[in-house]
């Protein structure tokens, strides 16, 4: 996935003195004062040299460079630990070559600096640099600043280009079969044509594709968006997978395991409910939104006992927790669900009567444990 943000209005700043430039100016004025006060010509000569250097530096950075600058982040959504890069393209549209260019891109709380080689007239320079993906969540990238400094580092001109973008680092996942629910019907996935009467319900809106029933067209949304939209219906009798993620002492292994389970059900077209210590996670209905929502989950102090008790019953309940006590409490709701599974990511063995407990120490161990349940 590649995204090129639309060019934003560029901020033009006049050439300004750097701290070294201000120091040179102050030193030159002090030398002038000392030279005239004491009657010595040497300080005056040194001060004149400093001021001439400042004048040359200002003349170097004062011309406004004509540049076309684009920074692309690809991909915009990436599993934790996978590669993501920023690609910077700079084109010199001016009549003369440019040197002393430096790009400064803010990535999260850090700043990444890239020194650009000399740009002859009409030349294009492309540089890329990796983006950090070790931490799950949103990572703002930008604004991008292009700095042109003189060879002495006395002055510089700074301009911003483009708009900031957001890199979304999602949980890692592994492939799993659909969680068992104890119900054998409708294993082929949701349908709206052959579903038993009264079990079909609205799921979401999507764009029309050839072959869709025109009776399902949502005309109000189609008029508002300018694109033909249809109602996507699901068979409400399909078993729902409820994934409960214990967010106290949250670990990345727990989030990855919950994402893998929820993704398996959503990819197969079965209804999914996500629940954390803060309660149900809204709009986690399809594979993309499941990963997007779990990318933003953070640790909290609330347990999942109450959210789990209030969760709608039926289908499978999968609890992901590092807490043995929380794993024991899931037995209290097992009668409301067709199947209860606890993915335990904590230390030591855990056994809960009536509950299938899958202890794992790494995400790679989840498929094997899942297949042996």
């Amino acid at each position: 996935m590649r995204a090129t943000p639309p060019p934003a209005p560029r901020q033009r700043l006049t050439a300004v003195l750097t701290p070294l430039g201000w120091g040179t100016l102050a030193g030159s004025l002090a030398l002038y004062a000392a030279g005239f006060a004491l009657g010595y010509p040497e300080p005056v000569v040194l001060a004149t040299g400093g001021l001439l250097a400042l004048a040359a530096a200002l003349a170097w950075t004062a011309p406004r460079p004509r540049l076309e600058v684009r920074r692309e982040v690809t991909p915009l959504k990436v599993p934790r630990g996978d590669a993501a890069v920023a690609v910077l393209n700079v084109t010199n549209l001016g009549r003369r070559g440019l040197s002393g260019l430096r790009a400064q891109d803010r990535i999260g709380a850090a700043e990444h600096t890239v020194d650009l080689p000399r740009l002859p007239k009409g030349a294009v320079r492309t540089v890329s640099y990796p983006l950090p993906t070790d931490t799950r969540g949103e990572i703002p990238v930008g604004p991008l600043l292009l700095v042109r400094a003189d060879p002495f580092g006395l002055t510089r001109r700074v301009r911003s280009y483009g708009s900031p973008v957001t890199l979304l680092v999602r949980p890692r996942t592994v492939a799993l079969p659909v969680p068992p629910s104890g119900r054998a019907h409708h294993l082929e996935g949701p349908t709206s044509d052959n579903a038993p009467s009264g079990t079909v319900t609205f799921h979401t809106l999507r764009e029309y594709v050839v072959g869709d029933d025109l009776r399902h067209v949502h005309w109000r949304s189609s008029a508002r968006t300018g694109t033909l939209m249809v109602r996507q219906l699901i068979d409400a009798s399909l078993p729902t997978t409820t994934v409960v993620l214990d967010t106290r002492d949250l670990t990345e292994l727990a989030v990855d395991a919950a994402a893998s389970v929820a993704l398996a059900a959503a990819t197969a077209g079965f209804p999914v409910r996500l629940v954390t210590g803060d309660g149900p996670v809204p709009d986690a209905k399809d594979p993309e939104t499941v990963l997007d929502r779990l990318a933003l989950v953070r640790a909290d102090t609330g347990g999942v006992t109450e959210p789990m008790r209030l969760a709608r019953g039926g289908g499978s309940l999968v609890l992901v927790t590092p807490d043995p006590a929380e794993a024991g409490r899931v037995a209290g709701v097992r009668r409301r669900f067709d199947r209860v599974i606890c993915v335990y990511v904590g230390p030591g063995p855990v056994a809960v009567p009536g509950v299938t407990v899958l202890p794992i120490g790494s995400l790679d161990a989840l498929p094997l444990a899942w297949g042996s349940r």
Side-chain angles (χ1 to χ4, degrees):
M1 181 177 182
R2 170 169 291 193
T4 304
R10 297 175 292 182
Q11 293 180 342
R12 181 168 66 90
L13 303 181
T14 57
V16 296
L17 297 181
T18 65
L20 179 59
W22 284 111
T24 302
L25 177 61
S28 298
L29 295 178
L31 287 172
Y32 263 124
F36 283 115
L38 299 175
Y40 292 114
E42 291 81 1
V44 176
V45 172
L46 292 174
T48 303
L51 293 180
L52 288 176
L54 282 174
L58 287 171
W60 179 282
T61 55
R64 177 182 174 181
R66 293 184 57 208
L67 299 172
E68 181 181 276
V69 181
R70 291 186 177 274
R71 190 249 291 111
E72 302 174 354
V73 173
T74 178
L76 279 177
K77 298 179 180 181
V78 61
R80 181 173 53 85
D82 282 13
V85 297
V87 181
L88 178 63
N89 296 280
V90 182
T91 305
N92 183 8
L93 303 178
R95 297 180 178 179
R96 60 179 182 175
L98 295 173
S99 58
L101 289 175
R102 183 173 69 252
Q104 295 178 348
D105 206 359
R106 179 158 293 277
I107 304 173
E111 187 176 83
H112 188 84
T113 301
V114 179
D115 290 321
L116 298 174
R118 188 177 186 277
L119 270 172
K121 173 185 175 182
V124 180
R125 292 286 184 263
T126 300
V127 295
S128 62
Y129 40 95
L131 300 177
T133 61
D134 296 332
T135 302
R136 178 177 47 83
E138 291 181 328
I139 300 178
V141 181
L144 175 69
L145 302 179
L146 210 61
V147 181
R148 188 179 184 220
D150 67 276
F152 302 107
L154 301 177
T155 62
R156 66 176 185 172
R157 176 189 286 273
V158 183
R159 300 181 72 183
S160 63
Y161 290 85
S163 303
V165 297
T166 300
L167 171 67
L168 184 64
V169 180
R170 293 165 153 182
R172 291 180 57 221
T173 59
V174 290
L176 299 176
V178 180
S181 68
R183 302 171 66 180
H185 63 290
H186 299 306
L187 294 182
E188 73 281 357
T191 176
S192 61
D193 294 329
N194 302 317
S197 177
T199 64
V200 174
T201 186
F202 172 77
H203 177 57
T204 186
L205 290 174
R206 61 171 175 80
E207 292 188 11
Y208 172 85
V209 295
V210 178
D212 282 337
D213 192 339
L214 292 178
R215 293 175 298 178
H216 296 160
V217 172
H218 194 271
W219 297 108
R220 182 177 299 177
S221 297
S222 302
R224 185 174 63 252
T225 62
T227 303
L228 201 60
M229 306 295 291
V230 297
R231 300 179 183 88
Q232 183 178 349
L233 306 178
I234 62 170
D235 182 356
S237 68
L238 287 169
T240 299
T241 300
T242 302
V243 181
V244 179
L245 175 61
D246 188 355
T247 47
R248 293 178 304 170
D249 301 321
L250 188 65
T251 64
E252 292 306 311
L253 175 58
V255 180
D256 293 347
S260 299
V261 174
L263 186 64
T267 302
F270 288 89
V272 177
R273 288 195 296 262
L274 281 176
V275 180
T276 68
D278 290 332
V281 177
D283 300 326
K285 298 177 180 179
D286 58 77
E288 289 296 311
T289 55
V290 163
L291 294 176
D292 290 349
R293 299 295 181 268
L294 286 174
L296 305 179
V297 167
R298 291 291 177 260
D300 57 49
T301 57
V304 293
T305 303
E306 187 65 13
M308 190 164 49
R309 185 183 67 83
L310 297 176
R312 191 168 57 195
S316 298
L317 172 68
V318 181
L319 170 66
V320 183
T321 181
D323 186 359
E326 207 68 72
R329 295 188 189 102
V330 75
V333 299
R334 69 180 186 273
R335 292 176 181 170
R336 296 172 41 226
F337 296 89
D338 301 320
R339 183 75 178 269
V340 175
I341 300 172
C342 175
V343 178
Y344 179 65
V345 295
V350 171
V352 181
V355 176
T356 302
V357 179
L358 307 179
I360 61 171
S362 67
L363 185 62
D364 293 335
L366 180 58
L368 182 60
W370 194 259
S372 62
R373 66 194 182 280

